[in-house]
């Protein structure tokens, strides 16, 4: 449509041919239809199916029996469901909080203009690029109680070795440590991106005025950090709420259920207990929690004034 | 003079702390790479050995195992899904950038929301769907599922890049008699090259790293490297030497990709607000 408007304005009338119009039409269809078609086909079925199956008492090999919200009722009364919910929320809140604080500090530190800082930025970005499963494996090796390096260093400075992966509290801490190690870099990345948008003359003016560090942070940096930090919070929260790989490989969800997240519990119901209806119900609880969190963030993220629209010529 | 000196010292300390923390972050990586060259005895030595005679035994072991096939599967699946996602993603991103259709905002948000979809919610139905279609444990199944996440990501990132291309360039091409498809393929697409490359690398990394879908939908033939690595830990006892070697090999492409996009990383995240 944009081109046609432009064409009509700028070209002599005879140049607007029917041929271009037809060509434009199939091209616009080509732009959207394959992608939207694919995405609708690939997501509508699984989601509807999973919603449907969550209303059935369905075990692999058995007969499906409609029980309405029975699975959800079972969940609400099951202690392991509440345990998993608690674990998921605890990991999310603690890990994301540490990541944001550490990320801001490191972000400012790595923003300094020093020759050679680029290499350290590159190093800090590596953890978030690795597969969470591989990262979980690394840390399982490092945190091992008998031969792991971390416990060796701890005994070196005179403390008792810590049963990282086998003690309920420490196991949860281990999952958090691994998440912080892998994802603080993501917050650093967003902070660096935000700092990169701060205009230089503003800083020079502040330096001339001898503004205090806090004043500079509050009035110059903060307006440029707000949006990237909210984005970081949004993505980190969503990802930790659906966390699966790290507990799977690091602790196996144990000891007991102390590091079993909701996604992991859903996986167990399907692939270990073969209770597909229950597994689907759990995954819908995850969908609902993530939707609530995402909606809150998106509402905060969307500016009050009308959004800047890209001028498409319409 | 003294004030200047204190600032210099302060900055020096800040820098030293920064470098120290960065190195702490890098250390686990370093340790795994080191461990991949250790013999079984050196690996479990207490105190841990910093100096040792390196061995390639772990690599020999891993290269003779199923891991090579799994690694290849990972690369094939990641490449296929990235190619499809970049083609469909760039078309649609351009569409959203230039041809507003009805409900654009809603559609765009829906596409992004697919990226947030918990994998666990779709893994069960996909398992059943692919079982019915006879596609369990095939490359196709994983490629299709990864395309959902990668297309969503591509549309969002590439739209930003197309938005940055000045309309005047396209108008000039129209005046030269280019049709809309010609404008896209000959003018806009080449201009978005940097965006295409960055997006492609992110799609590759994400597909290489994915675990839960691969674990659920593959058994042997289409098993990917992360699944293979996970099984290495469960079934072979725990051969940490081999695991370190496999992890090091598996990290290589990702590290190379990261080095390639390092400059685009920060700029990409500022959504074009940084000039």
């Amino acid at each position: 449509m944009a081109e046609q408007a432009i064409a009509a304005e700028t070209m002599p009338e005879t140049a607007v041919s029917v041929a271009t119009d037809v060509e434009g039409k199939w091209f616009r269809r080509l732009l959207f239809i394959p992608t939207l078609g694919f995405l609708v086909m690939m997501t509508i079925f699984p989601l509807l199916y999973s919603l449907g199956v969550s209303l059935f008492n369905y075990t692999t090999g058995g007969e499906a029996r409609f029980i309405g919200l029975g699975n959800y009722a079972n969940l609400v009364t099951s202690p392991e469901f509440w345990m998993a919910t608690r674990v998921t929320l605890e990991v999310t809140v603690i890990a994301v909080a540490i990541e944001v604080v550490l990320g801001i500090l490191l972000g400012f530190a790595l923003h300094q203009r020093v020759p050679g800082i680029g290499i350290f930025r590159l190093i800090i970005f590596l953890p978030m690029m690795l597969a969470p499963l591989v990262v979980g494996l690394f840390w399982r090796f490092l945190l091992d109680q008998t031969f792991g390096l971390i416990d060796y260093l701890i005994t070196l400075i005179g403390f008792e070795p810590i049963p990282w992966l086998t003690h309920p509290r420490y196991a949860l801490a281990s999952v958090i440590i691994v998440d912080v190690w892998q994802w603080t870099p993501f917050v650093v990345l967003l902070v660096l991106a935000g700092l990169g948008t701060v205009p230089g003359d503003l800083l020079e003016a502040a330096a001339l005025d001898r503004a205090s560090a806090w004043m500079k942070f509050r009035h110059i940096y903060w307006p440029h950090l707000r949006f990237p930090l909210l984005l970081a919070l949004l993505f980190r929260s969503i990802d930790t709420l659906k966390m699966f790989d790290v507990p799977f490989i690091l602790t196996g969800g144990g000891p007991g259920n102390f590091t079993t997240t909701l996604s992991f519990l859903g996986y167990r119901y399907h692939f270990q207990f073969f209770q597909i209806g229950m597994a689907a119900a759990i995954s819908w609880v995850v969908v609902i929690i993530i939707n609530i969190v995402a909606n809150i963030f998106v509402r905060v993220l969307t500016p009050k004034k009308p959004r800047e629209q890209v001028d498409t010529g319409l | 003079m003294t004030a200047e000196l204190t600032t210099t010292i302060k900055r020096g300390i800040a820098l030293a702390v920064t470098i120290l923390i960065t190195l702490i972050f890098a250390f686990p990586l370093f340790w795994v790479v080191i461990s991949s060259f250790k013999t079984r005895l050196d690996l479990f030595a207490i105190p841990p050995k910093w100096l040792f005679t390196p061995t390639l035994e772990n690599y020999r072991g891993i290269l003779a195992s199923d891991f090579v096939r799994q690694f290849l599967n990972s690369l094939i699946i990641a490449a296929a899904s990235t190619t499809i996602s970049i083609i469909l993603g760039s078309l649609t991103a351009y569409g959203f950038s230039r041809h507003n259709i009805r409900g654009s905002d809603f559609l765009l948000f829906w596409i992004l929301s697919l990226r947030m979809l918990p994998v666990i919610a779709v893994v069960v139905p996909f398992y059943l769907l692919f079982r019915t279609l006879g596609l369990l444990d095939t490359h196709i199944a994983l490629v299709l599922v990864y395309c959902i996440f990668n297309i969503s990501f591509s549309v969002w990132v590439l739209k930003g890049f197309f938005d940055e291309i000045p309309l005047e360039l396209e108008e000039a091409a129209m005046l030269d008699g280019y049709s809309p498809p010609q404008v896209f393929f000959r003018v806009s697409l080449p201009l978005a090259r940097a965006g295409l490359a960055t997006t492609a690398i992110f799609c590759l990394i994400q597909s290489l790293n994915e675990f839960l879908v691969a674990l659920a939908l593959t058994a042997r033939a289409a098993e990917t490297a992360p699944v293979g690595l996970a099984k290495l830990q469960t079934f072979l006892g725990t051969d940490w030497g081999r695991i370190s070697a496999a992890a090091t090999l598996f990290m290589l492409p990702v590290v190379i990709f990261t080095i390639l996009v390092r400059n685009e990383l920060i700029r990409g995240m500022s959504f074009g607000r940084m000039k």
Side-chain angles (χ1 to χ4, degrees):
Chain A
M1 262 183 263
E3 286 88 329
Q4 284 160 315
I6 294 156
E9 262 170 42
T10 50
M11 287 168 128
E13 274 142 68
T14 44
V16 187
S17 66
V18 185
T20 330
D21 196 23
V22 172
E23 208 173 353
K25 221 172 204 170
W26 74 252
F27 180 60
R28 275 197 300 283
R29 284 188 185 139
L30 175 72
L31 290 178
F32 291 103
I33 292 174
T35 305
L36 294 179
F38 174 80
L39 289 178
V40 168
M41 248 170 46
M42 289 295 288
T43 55
I44 297 296
F45 161 77
L47 288 178
L48 286 182
Y49 181 90
S50 141
L51 191 61
V53 96
S54 78
L55 305 176
F56 284 81
N57 180 358
Y58 176 38
T59 310
T60 309
E63 198 148 306
R65 194 161 50 82
F66 183 78
I67 50 166
L69 295 175
N71 286 322
Y72 295 94
N74 282 345
L75 278 186
V76 176
T77 53
S78 118
E80 64 185 348
F81 168 74
W82 289 112
M83 184 73 201
T85 309
R86 215 185 100 186
V87 167
T88 310
L89 294 179
E90 254 180 36
V91 170
T92 303
V93 171
I94 300 173
V96 174
I98 299 175
E99 282 157 22
V100 166
V101 174
L102 206 57
I104 292 177
L105 293 176
L106 260 176
F108 269 98
L110 286 169
H111 186 62
Q112 301 172 87
R113 290 228 163 76
V114 185
I117 198 93
I119 187 83
F120 291 98
R121 284 192 194 162
L122 177 63
I123 291 173
I124 205 90
F125 292 151
L126 284 179
M128 69 172 174
M129 298 293 183
L130 304 177
L133 181 104
V134 173
V135 169
L137 267 175
F138 279 13
W139 281 92
R140 180 161 186 152
F141 179 56
L142 288 165
L143 292 171
D144 193 281
Q145 210 190 335
T146 48
F147 61 86
L149 185 72
I150 305 284
D151 268 345
Y152 169 74
L153 294 176
I154 285 173
T155 50
L156 210 61
I157 50 173
F159 290 98
E160 285 292 299
I162 293 171
W164 287 108
L165 304 175
T166 48
H167 182 282
R169 276 275 128 209
Y170 290 119
L172 197 70
S174 305
V175 172
I176 292 171
I177 289 172
V178 174
D179 198 71
V180 166
W181 180 78
Q182 184 165 27
W183 295 109
T184 301
F186 179 67
V187 184
V188 173
L189 175 64
L190 281 160
V191 169
L192 282 172
L195 289 176
T197 63
V198 177
D201 46 351
L202 222 58
L203 288 171
E204 281 165 29
L208 283 178
D209 289 347
R210 294 173 180 276
S212 69
W214 168 247
M215 291 285 278
K216 272 207 290 201
F217 179 78
R218 177 73 191 80
H219 294 290
I220 297 177
Y221 292 121
W222 181 247
H224 292 268
L225 283 179
R226 209 184 80 96
F227 183 76
L229 279 178
L230 278 167
L231 268 190
L233 273 173
L234 172 70
F235 281 108
R236 285 314 307 135
S237 313
I238 289 173
D239 282 352
T240 41
L241 285 172
K242 55 183 191 186
M243 178 189 279
F244 172 81
D245 304 14
V246 169
F248 177 89
I249 200 73
L250 189 71
T251 56
N257 276 332
F258 281 97
T259 54
T260 301
T261 57
L262 280 170
S263 279
F264 197 4
L265 191 66
Y267 173 84
R268 273 192 171 161
Y269 265 101
H270 185 236
F271 292 97
Q272 285 175 7
F273 313 145
F274 305 109
Q275 298 184 24
I276 295 169
M278 281 292 274
I282 292 171
S283 61
W284 274 92
V285 172
V286 182
V287 173
I288 291 164
I289 294 178
I290 287 182
N291 259 304
I292 293 172
V293 172
N295 265 307
I296 293 172
F297 278 116
V298 168
R299 203 148 293 171
V300 181
L301 270 169
T302 320
K304 308 279 177 308
K305 53 187 177 192
R307 248 181 305 164
E308 276 177 55
Q309 286 280 328
V310 180
D311 185 12
T312 51
L314 279 171
Chain B
M1 174 67 198
T2 40
E4 251 172 54
L5 195 65
T6 29
T7 0
T8 317
I9 292 173
K10 261 192 197 165
R11 287 200 65 181
I13 293 172
L15 202 65
V17 173
T18 311
I19 291 171
L20 183 75
I21 297 177
T22 313
L23 291 180
I24 292 176
F25 265 88
F27 186 75
L29 285 173
F30 167 77
W31 194 249
V32 169
V33 175
I34 290 285
S35 301
S36 70
F37 293 104
K38 284 183 176 175
T39 61
R40 209 180 172 74
L41 222 60
D42 287 339
L43 211 54
F44 297 105
I46 291 177
K49 281 201 177 170
W50 298 88
L51 290 171
F52 57 92
T53 334
T55 166
L56 287 176
E57 204 39 55
N58 296 319
Y59 286 92
R60 250 175 244 133
I62 209 70
L63 288 178
S65 74
D66 272 351
F67 184 73
V68 180
R69 198 172 44 81
Q70 292 157 349
F71 202 167
L72 272 177
N73 282 342
S74 274
L75 291 174
I76 293 168
I77 290 165
S81 138
T82 301
T83 312
I84 297 172
S85 305
I86 288 287
I87 293 172
L88 292 182
S90 59
L91 283 169
T92 309
Y94 183 72
F96 278 119
S97 178
R98 294 290 192 261
H99 308 262
N100 261 321
I101 56 169
R102 218 180 308 146
S104 275
D105 280 355
F106 168 77
L107 280 176
L108 208 53
F109 183 76
W110 175 67
I111 291 180
L112 176 70
S113 73
L114 294 180
R115 180 71 185 60
M116 307 181 196
L117 204 64
V119 172
I120 187 73
V122 289
V123 121
V124 176
F126 273 133
Y127 180 86
L128 300 168
L129 174 71
F130 289 129
R131 196 176 60 183
T132 318
L133 297 174
L135 288 175
L136 271 188
D137 199 20
T138 61
H139 295 60
I140 300 172
L142 288 188
V143 171
L144 287 176
V145 179
Y146 292 170
C147 274
I148 300 174
F149 298 99
N150 285 340
I151 288 176
S152 154
F153 178 79
S154 314
V155 169
W156 274 82
V157 178
L158 289 174
K159 181 178 177 294
F161 279 91
F162 285 125
D163 285 347
E164 275 183 56
I165 297 173
L167 264 180
E168 292 78 34
L169 280 174
E170 297 189 353
E171 285 166 19
M174 300 285 296
L175 278 178
D176 285 347
Y178 280 38
S179 65
Q182 283 172 325
V183 171
F184 173 69
F185 287 110
R186 299 207 190 146
V187 180
S188 313
L189 204 57
L191 283 173
R193 228 175 10 233
L196 293 172
T198 317
T199 314
I201 287 178
F202 274 105
C203 289
L204 276 172
I205 291 180
Q206 274 166 8
S207 327
L208 281 176
N209 287 351
E210 204 286 330
F211 176 63
L212 178 50
V213 175
L215 178 71
L217 301 185
T218 63
R220 240 196 79 80
E223 220 165 42
T224 62
V227 180
L229 270 162
K231 287 190 176 165
L232 214 52
Q233 191 212 20
T234 346
F235 295 139
L236 282 179
T238 326
D239 189 344
W240 285 109
R242 276 194 187 192
I243 288 182
S244 309
T248 306
L249 287 178
F250 185 60
M251 266 177 347
L252 270 180
V254 175
V255 170
I256 293 169
F257 293 150
T258 310
I259 293 173
L260 286 177
V261 290
R262 69 185 181 283
N263 292 323
E264 297 301 320
L265 266 177
I266 301 176
R267 219 166 56 89
M269 280 294 158
S270 63
F271 298 95
R273 289 183 301 158
M274 191 158 84
K275 297 292 168 192

